Structures are given as C-alpha cells and as structure tokens.
C-alpha cells in the first residue's frame, strides 16, 4: 500500500511540489499505534475489521501532527479507508493544500485551520487520470 501510494504521488505531483509540502507520512499496523503516525503530518493507522464474516484491512487517516518547537498530535479525520484508495485521498489532499494554503503556511497549520469534516472532504477517494 505505501509503495503504491508513493509511486502514485511521484507520478501525479512534481518532486518540487512534494518537497515543498514538507509532508511526512507514517504508517502503523500496530493496534496500539506504536508508530509515530500521531505526530506525522499524515499518519496512516492500519487495522483489521470484520465485515460480513470476512476480515479486511482498512486504514484510519490522521492529519496535522507535528514535531519540533510546537509538537502536536494529529487528528483522525477519516476511518476505515480501503488500502487501494489511500493514494487517491492523499493526492487529492496535496492538491487542495497547494490550492488553498496561505503563503508560507505549513501543512500542519493548514490542517489546524480546518475542522475534521472539511479536511475529510479534501480526501477524494476516486481515481483521477494519471
């Protein structure tokens, strides 16, 4: 899932754009969230859920964490996302960040300026032409 997501981002965004965002993505499969996905700009917390007597893998998307001078935990803005859809959501989020940010605004500050519902709306989980 992560490699597929990174490949998708590299195909759909310039390296300059990706570098400029300063976004760190952390992925955790630990049910206790032992990985630092809570302090990443984008955290992906994997877990298994039972649907119709089948176990499936899903991810919760955590946005707006940070380290450094003003550390903060991110917020879960979307739950139970299919692993195949993560790449589209993150790509859409980057597009919306680039289009709507204030000059010099960091991704974390951008996330903190929006309510969870608004950030979740920026995560469009549909395929766009590559």
């Amino acid at each position: 899932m992560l490699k597929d997501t990174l490949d998708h981002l590299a195909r759909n965004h310039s390296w300059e754009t990706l570098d400029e965002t300063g976004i760190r993505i952390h992925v955790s499969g630990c049910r206790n969230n032992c990985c630092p996905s809570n302090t990443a700009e984008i955290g992906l917390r994997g877990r298994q859920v039972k649907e119709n007597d089948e176990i499936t893998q899903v991810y919760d998307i955590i946005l707006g964490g940070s380290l450094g001078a003003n550390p903060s935990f991110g917020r879960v803005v979307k739950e139970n996302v299919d692993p195949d859809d993560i790449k589209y959501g993150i790509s859409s989020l980057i597009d919306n960040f680039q289009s709507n940010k204030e000059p010099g605004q960091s991704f974390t500050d951008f996330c903190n300026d929006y309510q969870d519902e608004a950030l979740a709306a920026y995560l469009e989980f549909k395929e766009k032409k590559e």
Side-chain angles (χ1 to χ4, degrees):
M1 183 278 307
L2 183 59
K3 182 180 180 333
D4 190 37
T5 298
L6 295 176
D7 289 344
H8 179 82
L9 294 176
R11 283 191 310 271
N12 289 278
H13 302 279
S14 71
W15 285 111
E16 293 81 17
T17 297
L18 294 173
D19 189 48
E20 180 183 293
T21 63
I23 295 171
R24 292 174 303 119
I25 300 173
H26 287 265
V27 180
S28 171
C30 176
R31 63 188 166 120
N32 296 318
N33 201 21
C34 297
C35 182
S37 55
N38 283 328
T39 57
E41 286 83 2
I42 299 175
L44 304 172
R45 181 176 55 211
R47 57 194 175 86
Q48 295 179 330
V49 295
K50 188 173 183 178
E51 293 180 0
N52 301 324
D53 293 329
E54 288 190 35
I55 303 293
T56 60
Q57 180 75 34
V58 296
Y59 286 86
D60 298 335
I61 299 178
I62 303 165
L63 298 177
S66 67
L67 295 173
N70 296 310
S72 64
F73 286 116
R75 304 169 340 255
V76 176
V77 297
K78 191 74 174 174
E79 295 180 310
N80 300 330
V81 178
D82 185 291
D84 294 331
D85 294 337
I86 295 287
K87 61 187 170 199
Y88 304 119
I90 291 176
S91 185
S92 172
L93 180 64
I94 290 171
D95 288 341
N96 280 291
F97 169 62
Q98 290 297 111
S99 296
N100 297 303
K101 70 177 182 165
E102 298 294 326
Q105 186 177 36
S106 72
F107 183 80
T108 298
D109 290 341
F110 175 82
C111 289
N112 289 333
D113 285 348
Y114 288 88
Q115 297 294 320
D116 294 352
E117 296 80 20
L119 285 174
Y122 283 154
L123 296 163
E124 295 178 27
F125 297 105
K126 58 185 173 188
E127 185 173 2
K128 295 180 181 178
K129 288 193 174 195
E130 297 186 28

